[in-house]
Amino acid sequence: MNWFSDETLSFLRDLSQNNRREWFEANKQRYTDHVKDAGQRFADALNQLLAAKYETEVTTRIFRMHRDLRFSKDKTPYNTHIHISFSDAQTGASWMVGLQTDHLVVGFGQFAFDHDMLEHWRETVAGPQGEILTELNAKAIKGGLRLSEPELKRIPLAWDADHPQGALLRRKGIVWWNDHVPQHEIFGQNAPKAIAGELVAMDPLHDWMKLALDPTH
């Protein structure tokens, strides 16, 4: 049975140097064995671990290798990375795993809240829960995690320009990233357990979102 391995990286690196349909078709079996099948096996196993640990329903999405070229100046047809997300039914956010040719990144959060959730987010972070999240963010950064950047340059007009939680109010989403996971941890049949262990660093954000952003609270 295939899992992610050095062969996976070898394929991605070769693809980055030969990003053409003809080359991809000639190497289709390598893709199937070391990317597609290995990715599905890894994703299924990690899904089960996350669902059990957090007592939630988890929905997996493995992003396509084929790039959408309709609005891109870059016409190379394939992505040279593997991105997988695991959506959490409790929070609406996702755990994320990204295997690049030269590094591995994992994260948790939500890139963009929908309209109703964005309003709820702003009302929430403008109050005491915003102070708690600010402290959690600071601890995360001190611990080596990276935060996504706020999407807005200015605080929404409904709040004072000098609001103490201005950095949170300028957000339309929030993600914590760990760029320091050793790449080899995603190789082999122990990878789902290893990556689940790395994702524990995201628990403070997960727990905060589960509590503070629950519309029933």
Side-chain angles (χ1 to χ4, degrees):
M1 295 191 300
N2 292 324
W3 295 86
F4 288 136
S5 67
D6 286 333
E7 293 294 333
T8 306
L9 286 184
S10 178
F11 175 83
L12 294 177
R13 288 167 179 160
D14 289 348
L15 176 59
S16 69
Q17 299 297 317
N18 302 276
N19 202 326
R20 305 183 304 274
R21 297 186 190 280
E22 298 80 7
W23 184 91
F24 189 88
E25 290 300 320
N27 289 268
K28 193 68 172 288
Q29 194 60 51
R30 293 175 65 196
Y31 162 74
T32 299
D33 290 345
H34 305 297
V35 176
K36 184 179 179 181
D37 290 353
Q40 191 65 62
R41 196 180 310 282
F42 167 82
D44 289 347
L46 183 53
N47 180 307
Q48 293 180 27
L49 290 175
L50 294 173
K53 174 178 173 54
Y54 297 96
E55 299 181 341
T56 186
E57 181 179 345
V58 178
T59 303
T60 300
R61 179 184 178 188
I62 302 176
F63 289 80
R64 299 172 69 247
M65 293 291 289
H66 295 75
R67 299 180 61 245
D68 184 350
L69 305 179
R70 290 174 298 172
F71 307 106
S72 176
K73 293 182 179 179
D74 178 2
K75 297 303 180 181
T76 51
Y78 303 104
N79 291 309
T80 58
H81 55 250
I82 300 169
H83 286 177
I84 309 174
S85 69
F86 302 84
S87 299
D88 170 29
Q90 291 179 337
T91 63
S94 299
W95 294 276
M96 290 162 276
V97 178
L99 177 59
Q100 315 285 345
T101 57
D102 58 352
H103 71 284
L104 175 67
V105 60
V106 302
F108 176 82
Q110 193 163 349
F111 289 113
F113 300 120
D114 63 27
H115 179 269
D116 290 343
M117 183 56 75
L118 180 59
E119 291 301 312
H120 184 43
W121 160 267
R122 289 172 174 168
E123 293 171 0
T124 299
V125 299
Q129 284 293 338
E131 298 178 16
I132 294 172
L133 182 57
T134 296
E135 293 180 3
L136 294 176
N137 286 342
K139 290 179 180 178
I141 293 172
K142 187 175 181 179
L145 301 184
R146 169 173 59 88
L147 269 65
S148 58
E149 292 294 326
E151 291 77 10
L152 301 177
K153 293 183 178 180
R154 296 181 178 84
I155 297 173
L157 294 176
W159 288 271
D160 293 338
D162 60 350
H163 194 287
Q165 307 308 330
L168 296 177
L169 288 168
R170 289 191 294 114
R171 290 185 172 277
K172 292 185 175 182
I174 184 169
V175 182
W176 286 8
W177 296 104
N178 185 350
D179 302 303
H180 308 294
V181 180
Q183 196 177 43
H184 66 78
E185 288 195 12
I186 203 170
F187 295 159
Q189 60 184 351
N190 192 53
K193 184 177 180 180
I195 299 304
E198 295 290 356
L199 289 170
V200 168
M202 313 295 168
D203 282 2
L205 178 58
H206 172 272
D207 294 345
W208 182 90
M209 293 181 78
K210 182 180 175 181
L211 174 65
L213 296 185
D214 185 340
T216 64
H217 279 70

